[in-house]
Amino acid sequence: MKKETSFWLITIAVAILILSVYIIYKSTTDNEQIIFTGQGHEWKAKIVITIKGNEVSEFME
């Protein structure tokens, strides 16, 4: 019985470790884009804001 309990504890610990690494990796590689567009009779504009981790970049047309 002790070997079976030990096996399940190790399995759960490894699963938690893999899940933690996945969550950390996923959160640092996600990109979020916010796009603002507008137009009038004689103008048209588009602003794209990209957020990656702690970095923010902007692009305007």
Side-chain angles (χ1 to χ4, degrees):
M1 174 120 179
K2 182 154 174 81
K3 286 185 180 182
E4 186 177 314
T5 304
S6 183
F7 170 76
W8 285 111
L9 287 176
I10 291 172
T11 304
I12 292 170
V14 169
I16 290 172
L17 177 65
I18 291 171
L19 184 62
S20 299
V21 169
Y22 173 76
I23 290 171
I24 291 170
Y25 173 76
K26 183 78 172 147
S27 67
T28 58
T29 59
D30 279 349
N31 289 341
E32 181 179 350
Q33 278 194 337
I34 303 169
I35 301 172
F36 297 99
T37 59
Q39 66 182 36
H41 294 289
E42 297 182 15
W43 62 273
K44 185 177 184 180
K46 179 179 178 181
I47 299 173
V48 179
I49 300 172
T50 304
I51 303 168
K52 182 177 181 180
N54 292 332
E55 297 178 25
V56 177
S57 61
E58 299 175 13
F59 176 75
M60 186 166 85
E61 294 180 356

